[in-house]
Amino acid sequence: MDNKNFRSGFVAIVGRPNVGKSTFMNRIIKEQIAITSPKAQTTRNKIQGIFTDEKRQIIFLDTPGIHKPHNGLDQYMDSAATSALKEVDAVLFMTEAGQSAGPGDKFIIEELKKVKAPVFLILNKIDMINPDDMAPQISEYSQLMDFSEVVPISATNGNNVDELIDSLTKVLPVGPQYYDDDQITDHPEYFIVGELIREKILEDTRDEIPHTVAVIVESMNQRTAAGKLQVEASIYVERESQKPIIIGKGGSMLKNIGIGSRIKIEHLLGEKINLKLWVRVKKNWRDDPLFLNQAGYSVKDLK
């Protein structure tokens, strides 16, 4: 490695909910560290993903979609998103290709005008539209803010993602390698394990269980008699009526959640596991500071 020319820095990814920020993160890192779902506001934490090669190291902060807060969890998510803009070397403002700027986009742009770092406009999901549809959108957004660069991409298919990395590298300072070559996130494994379980819940329950579900991994340090890693986690909902939805008839839904998430967890950890899940009710947990802290959503960590 040529340390004299090695570049490193921190890049925040912001945008309205469900524009593909987590999909982009997973594409860059080539591993699933951020969960994805058609449901808005899937991401709740700043997920730090680390891209490293022989020329650079880019630490990405994948933030929750910025939106109007309605409860304590929403407030945490908004704080996570806006705090990511502090002291970063660049910002990727991601929008959906072919879509006009809505009130949410304009609100984010006003926040971005306060940022000193270069701001890139990223038009994601170009695989879903006719390329001619992008010109009016680029013109509209460019009138709202002077972006350092406009880059159309497809996070799903990988179109222009390598080119975006090269463009980002040019604005990063010459600096040290903060993390080892093989480290892809700064989150502990139990956090990602919990997120993979939550993703499977969102996938299987569709609209029946929106954002009233939390997953806390209770233990991940014991082994079964067969040598498998024992993973135990609790799934929390806010109302008693939601509990049977997660469990399903004869435990069928919970079984499917366990099977689907176990496969992804085993891929993440590189070993076989025995997964035990419990479903518990914690009324109004999204407005309970103590529970939010236990679940990993602590606003004080963002200051």
Side-chain angles (χ1 to χ4, degrees), residues 93-113:
F93 172 39
M94 188 171 290
T95 65
E96 191 168 334
Q99 300 292 319
S100 297
D105 295 300
K106 293 175 182 177
F107 173 78
I108 295 170
I109 286 173
E110 291 306 309
E111 293 295 312
L112 293 178
K113 288 178 180 178

Side-chain angles (χ1 to χ4, degrees), residues 236-256:
Y236 287 89
V237 292
E238 285 192 320
R239 298 191 297 273
E240 287 288 346
S241 61
Q242 295 167 332
K243 191 173 179 179
I245 297 173
I246 297 287
I247 295 173
K249 186 177 181 180
S252 58
M253 177 64 76
L254 189 60
K255 182 179 179 180
N256 288 337

Side-chain angles (χ1 to χ4, degrees), residues 252-265:
S252 58
M253 177 64 76
L254 189 60
K255 182 179 179 180
N256 288 337
I257 291 168
I259 292 172
S261 54
R262 178 177 56 79
I263 293 170
K264 292 184 178 182
I265 294 167

Side-chain angles (χ1 to χ4, degrees), residues 141-185:
Y141 274 84
S142 297
Q143 291 176 27
L144 295 172
M145 181 174 175
D146 184 18
F147 294 97
S148 298
E149 194 166 335
V150 179
V151 185
I153 70 164
S154 169
T156 300
N157 295 340
N159 304 52
N160 293 337
V161 170
D162 290 341
E163 289 79 0
L164 173 56
I165 291 294
D166 289 338
S167 295
L168 270 177
T169 303
K170 294 174 184 176
V171 304
L172 296 181
V174 173
Q177 182 172 327
Y178 295 99
Y179 298 93
D180 293 338
D181 292 347
D182 59 352
Q183 187 168 349
I184 60 172
T185 183

Side-chain angles (χ1 to χ4, degrees), residues 234-303:
S234 294
I235 299 168
Y236 287 89
V237 292
E238 285 192 320
R239 298 191 297 273
E240 287 288 346
S241 61
Q242 295 167 332
K243 191 173 179 179
I245 297 173
I246 297 287
I247 295 173
K249 186 177 181 180
S252 58
M253 177 64 76
L254 189 60
K255 182 179 179 180
N256 288 337
I257 291 168
I259 292 172
S261 54
R262 178 177 56 79
I263 293 170
K264 292 184 178 182
I265 294 167
E266 288 181 341
H267 176 75
L268 171 73
L269 301 179
E271 63 175 306
K272 295 294 183 180
I273 70 165
N274 184 49
L275 179 61
K276 285 190 174 182
L277 299 175
W278 288 269
V279 183
R280 310 183 194 278
V281 178
K282 176 67 176 177
K283 293 183 179 179
N284 301 320
W285 67 260
R286 289 179 294 175
D287 281 316
D288 184 335
L290 291 177
F291 183 87
L292 288 172
N293 185 64
Q294 183 185 2
Y297 311 129
S298 175
V299 176
K300 66 180 177 59
D301 293 337
L302 304 173
K303 297 177 181 178

Side-chain angles (χ1 to χ4, degrees), residues 43-168:
T43 301
R44 289 178 179 168
N45 294 71
K46 290 189 297 184
I47 309 291
Q48 188 154 297
I50 306 162
F51 171 86
T52 308
D53 64 12
E54 68 280 357
K55 297 186 295 185
R56 63 225 153 176
Q57 183 171 84
I58 307 175
I59 299 96
F60 289 95
L61 306 178
D62 172 25
T63 66
I66 297 175
H67 63 290
K68 185 177 180 179
H70 296 290
N71 51 52
L73 177 61
D74 284 357
Q75 186 64 56
Y76 170 85
M77 291 163 65
D78 246 32
S79 297
T82 54
S83 71
L85 303 179
K86 299 175 183 177
E87 300 181 8
V88 293
D89 298 291
V91 177
L92 302 183
F93 172 39
M94 188 171 290
T95 65
E96 191 168 334
Q99 300 292 319
S100 297
D105 295 300
K106 293 175 182 177
F107 173 78
I108 295 170
I109 286 173
E110 291 306 309
E111 293 295 312
L112 293 178
K113 288 178 180 178
K114 306 171 188 175
V115 176
K116 297 179 181 179
V119 178
F120 289 62
L121 175 62
I122 310 301
L123 307 182
N124 190 23
K125 306 184 184 181
I126 61 172
D127 53 306
M128 306 291 288
I129 67 163
N130 186 313
D132 295 337
D133 294 339
M134 286 190 291
Q137 182 184 15
I138 293 173
S139 175
E140 178 189 9
Y141 274 84
S142 297
Q143 291 176 27
L144 295 172
M145 181 174 175
D146 184 18
F147 294 97
S148 298
E149 194 166 335
V150 179
V151 185
I153 70 164
S154 169
T156 300
N157 295 340
N159 304 52
N160 293 337
V161 170
D162 290 341
E163 289 79 0
L164 173 56
I165 291 294
D166 289 338
S167 295
L168 270 177

Side-chain angles (χ1 to χ4, degrees), residues 222-235:
Q222 303 294 322
R223 293 198 174 271
T224 67
K228 292 183 179 180
L229 181 66
Q230 180 79 23
V231 178
E232 301 183 1
S234 294
I235 299 168

